[in-house]
Amino acid sequence: MKILIIDDEYDVRSILGDILRSAGYEVTTAEDGEEGLRKVRAERPSLVITDILMPGLDGFHFLNEVRKDKALGDIQVVFYTGNYLDKEDEQLAHDLGVSRFLIKPLAPADIIAVVKEVISEKAKRAAPAETSTSLDESTFLKLYNERLVTKLKHKVQESDKALSSLENIMESIADGVVVIDKNYTIIQANSSAENFSGVEKKELIGRKCYEMAHHRSSPCEGPNIICPHYQLFQRGENLVKVLHTHVDVRGDERHVEINASPIKDSKGRIFAMVETYRDIMEKYSDDELVKLVKRLNDAQTHLKHMAITDDLTGLHNRRYIVERLDEEFERARRSGHPLSLIMLDIDRFKQINDTYGHLFGDVVLRVIAVRLKSSIRKHDIVGRVGGEEFLVICPDSLLADTLVVAERIRKVINEENISDGTQQVKVALSAGVTIIQGSDVSSDRIFSRADSALYKAKEEGRNKVVVL
């Protein structure tokens, strides 16, 4: 028995589908009402479970279209919604012939019980219920528009209250506060931000943050600039603390301490950031300048960290890992201690990028970086040396011990799919392992040998470790 699920949320379709499949039902899905209507007409499911609020054709319109089509008259429709339905909503749905209302979230057992009940009721009827007819178009539109206007009024009232509450909270904060969207545009500011910048709030809102704070015509970029916007939106950090020099409306420099945090929507996606800042010289008295110096030193340390770190994965970058290999090679030559390498490469990474897109490819690289760090030993050193290539330096490590580490990494990467919440893929690694030899005159030799072992693993079928 086939059931069609219509919902614009991927997670809802996925979870609901798993619940129904576990009960033995065949499940098909649609992302919106238009797609759902096409599938109803093409596949004729026994039951449709649909959300109400969806872009395009919503649940009410979908149900009315189904009831207008006499060939679809026996199809049962259940509303599954996370929004509260008032009596007028319920009456309109009943007039259109809805079978049940389910309010999200609902326990799997309750969902299956309702589905069985609705299907059982359908089986007992010899013919489609005469009451499951559509309303004429003018009546439906009149009732539907009345419900839409009512809900819109409620939403406007709720939005006004939320906005008023947000403004009151921001005004109660002594520090300057601004809310900035993904396009660097200031969308909200408090009176302290107005006093600090010398620009009225109504003039701040709608302007670019880099324009107002730095008198720049483009976003802040450069090796010595730590931009909170980049750290939050691009690197995905949850809190950024930095020291900046702002320029006020008079052209005077103001040394400020900034704390920035992301603002996320219901799906966990960052759509804006909130920034609070204060004048350092107002915050600190002369005898507290030591604390300021410490913060400046911390900022310098952070810059040094960024210089040796790969932006995307957070691992050591190629320059650093190659320099460390040179150092460890010379140390091993002097001491006579072993030194082993693991060269790793993601199998068919280009295919992943081509199939799922480069943004998803970036997710794959970040997840693999996390799994790499969790799989190596404390004294091992890992870095990204190329697009999808990684190097693990294993000081004081015999070949057999390094092989164990390489196999552990390969299994950890391969055992669990990588997902961004909407799509997922199983990823494999190939690895080449080698150890320093007496004939090696430079670190290039051992690096090249590890690389050769890696490509041999690729030639032998991938997802394996080869030793040279």
Side-chain angles (χ1 to χ4, degrees):
M1 185 169 290
K2 182 181 290 187
I3 297 176
L4 170 63
I5 299 170
I6 309 174
D7 201 296
D8 57 333
E9 295 281 351
Y10 169 82
D11 290 342
V12 173
R13 298 196 304 272
S14 178
I15 293 171
L16 196 53
D18 289 343
I19 291 171
L20 295 173
R21 289 187 189 94
S22 71
Y25 296 107
E26 181 184 354
V27 175
T28 185
T29 63
E31 296 183 8
D32 53 41
E34 286 91 344
E35 184 185 3
L37 195 59
R38 290 195 298 270
K39 287 200 170 184
V40 163
R41 288 168 174 160
E43 302 180 20
R44 299 296 176 89
S46 299
L47 174 66
V48 177
I49 301 177
T50 179
D51 191 11
I52 295 179
L53 295 181
M54 296 180 292
L57 196 73
D58 67 8
F60 287 115
H61 279 93
F62 167 81
L63 180 56
N64 196 48
E65 290 297 318
V66 169
R67 295 301 177 231
K68 285 196 309 188
D69 191 334
K70 293 182 180 180
L72 307 176
D74 64 337
I75 293 178
Q76 304 290 86
V77 177
V78 173
F79 278 168
Y80 183 56
T81 179
N83 298 279
Y84 175 74
L85 292 171
D86 56 28
K87 291 182 179 180
E88 288 79 5
D89 286 335
E90 292 185 12
Q91 186 59 53
L92 176 57
H94 280 304
D95 290 344
L96 292 170
V98 76
S99 298
R100 289 289 190 284
F101 296 98
L102 297 178
I103 305 299
K104 306 173 186 176
L106 199 63
D110 294 331
I111 294 172
I112 293 172
V114 170
V115 168
K116 288 181 177 178
E117 186 177 291
V118 172
I119 291 175
S120 176
E121 290 174 359
K122 175 183 175 182
K124 291 177 182 178
R125 294 204 310 263
E130 294 181 0
T131 56
S132 295
T133 58
S134 68
L135 300 175
D136 65 84
E137 196 68 17
S138 60
T139 301
F140 169 74
L141 289 176
K142 178 179 179 295
L143 294 173
Y144 179 79
N145 288 337
E146 286 176 356
R147 302 310 308 132
L148 205 59
V149 169
T150 300
K151 290 184 181 297
L152 183 58
K153 287 180 179 177
H154 289 324
K155 286 293 183 184
V156 170
Q157 291 171 357
E158 291 172 1
S159 297
D160 288 343
K161 289 179 181 178
L163 182 59
S164 176
S165 176
L166 174 62
E167 289 177 350
N168 290 335
I169 292 171
M170 291 179 65
E171 288 301 321
S172 69
I173 300 173
D175 294 336
V177 181
V178 292
V179 179
I180 303 169
D181 69 11
K182 292 184 70 173
N183 296 318
Y184 301 92
T185 303
I186 299 172
I187 59 177
Q188 191 59 269
N190 69 352
S191 295
S192 295
E194 174 183 292
N195 296 335
F196 186 91
S197 64
V199 179
E200 293 185 12
K201 282 195 295 182
K202 63 182 181 180
E203 297 295 331
L204 281 173
I205 295 172
R207 304 284 288 276
K208 300 297 185 183
C209 59
Y210 51 79
E211 176 188 355
M212 301 309 300
H214 302 287
H215 292 194
R216 295 172 60 101
S217 59
S218 60
C220 304
E221 296 178 353
N224 297 321
I225 297 176
I226 304 174
C227 177
H229 193 282
Y230 173 80
Q231 298 294 104
L232 293 177
F233 284 103
Q234 302 298 322
R235 295 180 64 91
E237 296 185 15
N238 289 319
L239 177 65
V240 178
K241 294 184 178 183
V242 295
L243 299 177
H244 265 204
T245 301
H246 283 188
V247 181
D248 64 21
V249 71
R250 295 176 297 275
D252 297 329
E253 290 188 347
R254 305 283 294 273
H255 302 291
V256 297
E257 177 189 67
I258 296 176
N259 287 273
S261 302
I263 305 175
K264 301 179 180 180
D265 61 19
S266 59
K267 298 179 180 179
R269 296 174 298 199
I270 301 174
F271 68 91
M273 59 180 275
V274 59
E275 225 179 53
T276 63
Y277 52 86
R278 62 180 62 180
D279 192 308
I280 294 173
M281 301 316 294
E282 290 180 0
K283 179 184 175 185
Y284 294 103
S285 59
D286 289 344
D287 60 344
E288 291 176 314
L289 286 178
V290 173
K291 295 180 182 178
L292 174 58
V293 172
K294 182 180 183 301
R295 277 199 167 90
L296 290 170
N297 288 337
D298 289 343
Q300 186 64 32
T301 300
H302 182 68
L303 289 173
K304 290 180 180 178
H305 172 74
M306 291 179 64
I308 65 172
T309 302
D310 177 64
D311 283 343
L312 180 61
T313 63
L315 300 176
H316 294 307
N317 59 23
R318 181 184 178 90
R319 185 180 67 179
Y320 179 83
I321 198 71
V322 170
E323 288 177 355
R324 284 302 306 270
L325 176 58
D326 288 340
E327 293 171 3
E328 293 299 330
F329 177 84
E330 293 301 328
R331 190 175 70 85
R333 292 264 293 181
R334 290 193 306 269
S335 65
H337 292 170
L339 171 67
S340 298
L341 293 187
I342 306 172
M343 184 72 78
L344 303 147
D345 185 89
I346 304 174
D347 292 336
R348 297 186 172 90
F349 186 69
K350 183 180 183 301
Q351 183 178 331
I352 293 173
N353 274 333
D354 292 343
T355 303
Y356 300 96
H358 288 275
L359 289 178
F360 184 77
D362 289 348
V363 172
V364 170
L365 289 169
R366 291 191 192 99
V367 172
I368 285 181
V370 172
R371 294 182 184 177
L372 270 174
K373 287 192 285 189
S374 69
S375 302
I376 62 176
R377 299 162 299 186
K378 286 185 177 181
H379 61 281
D380 294 333
I381 309 159
V382 61
R384 183 184 178 200
V385 294
E388 64 268 24
E389 285 190 337
F390 305 88
L391 177 66
V392 181
I393 302 173
C394 304
D396 299 316
S397 182
L398 296 172
L399 194 60
D401 297 327
T402 305
L403 183 59
V404 170
V405 175
E407 279 290 348
R408 180 167 64 240
I409 292 171
R410 186 189 64 80
K411 290 177 181 177
V412 167
I413 297 299
N414 191 240
E415 69 185 4
E416 185 177 351
N417 289 352
I418 295 177
S419 170
D420 66 352
T422 60
Q423 51 191 353
Q424 60 180 355
V425 66
K426 196 173 188 64
V427 179
L429 286 181
S430 295
V433 177
T434 192
I435 191 169
I436 190 172
Q437 299 175 3
S439 58
D440 293 331
V441 295
S442 70
S443 61
D444 290 343
R445 293 286 294 274
I446 185 173
F447 184 94
S448 177
R449 194 162 55 250
D451 202 38
S452 297
L454 167 63
Y455 279 95
K456 187 175 181 182
K458 294 279 189 182
E459 292 171 354
E460 293 181 3
R462 298 183 174 87
N463 193 19
K464 65 183 304 182
V465 179
V466 168
V467 179
L468 281 181

